[in-house]
Amino acid sequence: LGAAERRRRLLANLDDASRRLATCAPAADAGAPTDHAGTEPLAGEIEALRASIRSGRQPVNHDVAEDTLDLIVRIDEALRDRCGSPSPIDRALVLVARRHNIGTS
């Protein structure tokens, strides 16, 4: 893949993760106020990584792809027990990450 397509795909994956976090975290956090602190930093990480990818300050290489997948896995772990099944794309990305030993589980 060329750099532009890698950038587009990583941004689309971050957009999907951001949507899941935005729709699921508030509902999950409503019953457990202390859990909100666990999801709020993830939203900040999404924005920081998204800005970095868009800016072109660093090449969209393997490390950036790993950082993106690691963040998606951490979002999945934060929301898994509280928000039901992830979307098919989220599940696929987590499986790819785990196959490459990326993520915390």
Side-chain angles (χ1 to χ4, degrees), residues 42-98:
L42 293 171
E45 287 185 56
I46 289 171
E47 290 309 314
L49 187 53
R50 187 184 282 151
S52 176
I53 292 169
R54 281 188 181 138
S55 75
R57 288 187 300 247
Q58 61 183 1
V60 181
N61 58 24
H62 183 73
D63 292 339
V64 175
E66 278 190 6
D67 291 346
T68 302
L69 286 172
D70 179 67
L71 180 55
I72 290 168
V73 168
R74 288 186 290 124
I75 290 167
D76 177 68
E77 290 172 347
L79 301 179
R80 181 182 311 144
D81 295 333
R82 302 179 286 160
C83 300
S85 297
S87 70
I89 188 69
D90 290 333
R91 268 194 310 259
L93 290 169
V94 168
L95 288 172
V96 167
R98 292 205 175 121

